[in-house]
Amino acid sequence: MAKLFNGGIIATGSYVPEKVITNHDLARIVDTSDEWIVTRTGIRERRIADPHIATSDLATIAARRTLESAHLTPQDIDMIIVATVTPDMHFPSTACLVQRNIGATNASAFDLEAACSGFLYGIIVANQFVATGFCKNVMVIGAECMSKFVNWKDRNTCILFGDGAGAVIVSRVDEGYGFLSQVLGADGSGAELLMLEAGGSRKPPTFETVEKELHYIHMDGSEVFKFAVQTMAAMAEEAVQRAGLTKEQVDFLIPHQANIRIIEAARKKLELPEDKVYINLDRYGNMSAASIPVALDEAVKQGRIKKGHNIVMVGFGAGLTWGACTIRWAV
């Protein structure tokens, strides 16, 4: 068997729309309040894309910022993976649109759908291509326009989601750095707990599907919460164990930004102090596949993640899906 290369993240970038929707704004259109939302979720505001802006637009800006951070040209990218559940269209892929937009003429491109776990699925897939030598530089982007699929009359879901994009480049790194562990999983028996039912081949768009509001996000909040609390904490711990590390050796946790109580459960499971967990949930809400890469980029830009730090990333999503990894920061 050929020698495997060490894969790791060498650059990050992100973008969120300028428009802010606060809890007080939502209280004017649905029966809710700032106190009710903050107490149950930890969210205070979220970013919303303008009507003419699509997921590929957000992803393109994040991609360009990541290339700039990496000091690479678009032609240096061998593959582009976009994790999203809100693509511009069924086909072509959002990744192909990003490839065109940034001029990455040497890159293959495809979309990956694992909902809020999508970015973790994406970087773990990317690492396989880097480790085997098939690719040198893989760009992974988590990008979503969740606001376009939210029912703004449903107070249980419209308070949760926001728009944004985050990107990384997975490349070869020095020995001892990069991915130390990788965890992926799914349980399709929970598919109905969080779904966007219509618009696909089972229920193509019709007057009936529109009237029944089947083109909006539907969620069994209590069941998803129970699944998430148990899964995210357990997967974070498993990622640390698979890396051969102790909890004391974890320097930073980047969790999926869905609910502050879920994040707290994972933090306590790893016995981490609050300053070792990055949280931007209060400012952005749940950006699905974009949540973790945006949080990662902000933590890097703030200097909270440094070379040699052991970073744990963990998330869960519709499917049901989950993922986690431990990375020793290489740059």
Side-chain angles (χ1 to χ4, degrees), residues 64-182:
R64 287 174 174 153
R65 290 179 175 180
T66 307
L67 284 171
E68 183 179 349
S69 176
H71 304 292
L72 296 176
T73 69
Q75 290 72 35
D76 292 323
I77 302 301
D78 303 308
M79 177 180 288
I80 299 172
I81 303 172
V82 173
T84 186
V85 292
T86 60
D88 288 28
M89 58 199 80
H90 282 304
F91 58 87
S93 70
T94 302
C96 280
L97 301 178
V98 173
Q99 187 240 32
R100 175 194 65 187
N101 292 348
I102 67 174
T105 52
N106 297 321
S108 56
F110 63 92
D111 287 358
L112 183 155
E113 183 185 321
C116 300
S117 306
F119 175 74
L120 290 171
Y121 268 67
I123 59 173
I124 290 173
V125 168
N127 185 45
Q128 314 313 306
F129 284 103
V130 171
T132 59
F134 187 86
C135 293
K136 185 176 180 181
N137 299 306
V138 181
M139 177 173 285
V140 182
I141 308 169
E144 306 283 12
C145 280
M146 300 298 289
S147 64
K148 299 180 187 292
F149 299 92
V150 165
N151 183 349
W152 293 101
K153 297 181 292 183
D154 178 9
R155 74 168 189 167
N156 294 314
T157 56
C158 75
I159 66 172
L160 300 175
F161 298 101
D163 305 335
V168 302
I169 294 174
V170 178
S171 187
R172 299 173 189 176
V173 297
D174 293 337
E175 188 172 350
Y177 293 93
F179 285 87
L180 304 181
S181 69
Q182 303 165 86

Side-chain angles (χ1 to χ4, degrees), residues 10 13 33 52 54 61 84 116 120 167 197 257 259 287 299 305:
I10 64 165
S33 69
H52 65 282
I61 297 173
T84 186
C116 300
L120 290 171
E197 191 171 350
Q257 309 285 314
N259 184 294
M287 295 184 290
I305 293 178

Side-chain angles (χ1 to χ4, degrees), residues 15 24 27 36-37 63 80-81 102 110 156 177 241 250 259 279 286 289 293 300 321:
Y15 174 74
H24 295 292
W36 191 89
I37 297 171
I80 299 172
I81 303 172
I102 67 174
F110 63 92
N156 294 314
Y177 293 93
Q241 292 174 349
V250 176
N259 184 294
I279 298 174
N286 182 349
V300 169
T321 60

